[in-house]
Amino acid sequence: MARIAESATIALDLGDRVVAVTVRRSALAKRTAIRIDPLRGAVLVLPPRASRADAERFLLAHRAWVAERLDRLPAAQSLAPGQRVDILGEPHVIRHCPAARRGVWIEGGELCVSGLAEQVPRRVTAFLRNQAKAIIARHVGELSARLGRRSGRLTIRDTRSRWGSCSSRGDLSFSWRLVMAPEWVLAYVVAHELAHLVEMNHSPAFWNVVASLSPDAARARGWLKRHGAGLHLIG
């Protein structure tokens, strides 16, 4: 029985195009399943004993579903002049201002960027990261004071698998892309991670702490479920 390496891919012919399906074997999987990841595309999850032939048969049987779901994915968006980018949920159009000497600034609903045109995406990204750090740091300070707990080091990253994390030492890490979400969503993610300073788990006690810090917790989780993948396609 031919087996598939965990890092393997299978080419799937969808008729109008051929896509590479990432194959992941899971010791916990009871059956073969496929999901659509906004960044990696189609991902096939196999139980331990599934063969390559099993995987290929499953993909052929589900290729119409794969094609439909891939077509639903939002298109990637650059941070080039003329594109729209949300800052705390408010839309801003990126405008290139080559003659200005102000760096990057917000003016009249636009995100203005000076310098060379080819530098615009990089400068916009840097601006958004800095904004994210300042806004998240403010929420960390306010909410940790309410908890009566001190957090550790704050780091801003471009994480793909999670929006934030809290280590056992209280060090915090957040995705800079949260700055594109509404502020009440960003505040929820901060509250979620700070709640781990009290409960390093996801027990009912943990969720009670989250609720005490973020009255919009349920609504924020719903927003991230619906729109979070799109934030990873920007830039």
Side-chain angles (χ1 to χ4, degrees):
M1 180 174 65
R3 292 176 63 82
I4 302 176
E6 291 190 15
S7 60
T9 61
I10 294 178
L12 178 62
D13 188 349
L14 299 179
D16 59 340
R17 64 198 186 277
V18 176
V19 298
V21 178
T22 301
V23 179
R24 184 171 67 84
R25 194 178 295 278
S26 171
L28 301 177
K30 301 297 184 183
R31 57 185 178 84
T32 301
I34 191 164
R35 60 185 177 84
I36 304 299
D37 184 277
L39 299 176
R40 293 192 294 169
V43 179
L44 185 69
V45 181
L46 297 177
R49 297 181 61 83
S51 67
R52 184 179 185 90
D54 294 331
E56 290 175 343
R57 280 194 296 270
F58 185 90
L59 287 175
L60 285 175
H62 292 83
R63 60 181 177 179
W65 182 91
V66 172
E68 179 189 0
R69 293 307 175 95
L70 287 176
D71 289 341
R72 289 186 191 177
L73 287 178
Q77 177 193 316
S78 70
L79 291 172
Q83 294 290 338
R84 192 193 92 166
V85 62
D86 289 355
I87 302 175
L88 295 182
E90 294 296 324
H92 294 73
V93 175
I94 300 171
R95 182 162 68 91
H96 184 212
C97 305
R101 295 182 179 274
R102 296 178 57 183
V104 183
W105 71 100
I106 295 173
E107 182 178 303
E110 294 183 319
L111 186 60
C112 305
V113 188
S114 63
L116 300 175
E118 59 266 28
Q119 296 176 338
V120 169
R122 178 181 60 79
R123 301 189 79 175
V124 170
T125 301
F127 176 83
L128 293 175
R129 289 183 73 113
N130 289 336
Q131 291 289 303
K133 186 165 189 177
I135 295 165
I136 289 171
R138 172 167 56 81
H139 282 280
V140 167
E142 292 171 357
L143 295 181
S144 59
R146 284 174 55 183
L147 278 178
R149 301 293 179 99
R150 293 187 62 181
S151 61
R153 186 175 57 141
L154 172 63
T155 305
I156 303 299
R157 305 182 187 276
D158 191 8
T159 50
R160 301 285 176 165
S161 59
R162 58 178 65 185
W163 294 108
S165 64
C166 177
S167 74
S168 58
R169 296 181 300 179
D171 292 334
L172 301 167
S173 177
F174 296 94
S175 168
W176 69 264
R177 296 172 183 275
L178 285 169
V179 77
M180 295 185 283
E183 190 163 4
W184 52 270
V185 174
L186 178 151
Y188 156 71
V189 177
V190 173
H192 182 114
E193 300 310 329
L194 284 176
H196 285 307
L197 297 177
V198 181
E199 298 284 344
M200 188 54 77
N201 50 56
H202 287 96
S203 65
F206 164 83
W207 289 110
N208 287 338
V209 176
V210 174
S212 72
L213 297 175
S214 173
D216 291 314
R219 189 161 67 105
R221 287 195 296 273
W223 191 97
L224 286 170
K225 184 175 182 180
R226 292 189 303 274
H227 306 291
L231 299 185
H232 289 298
L233 296 172
I234 298 173

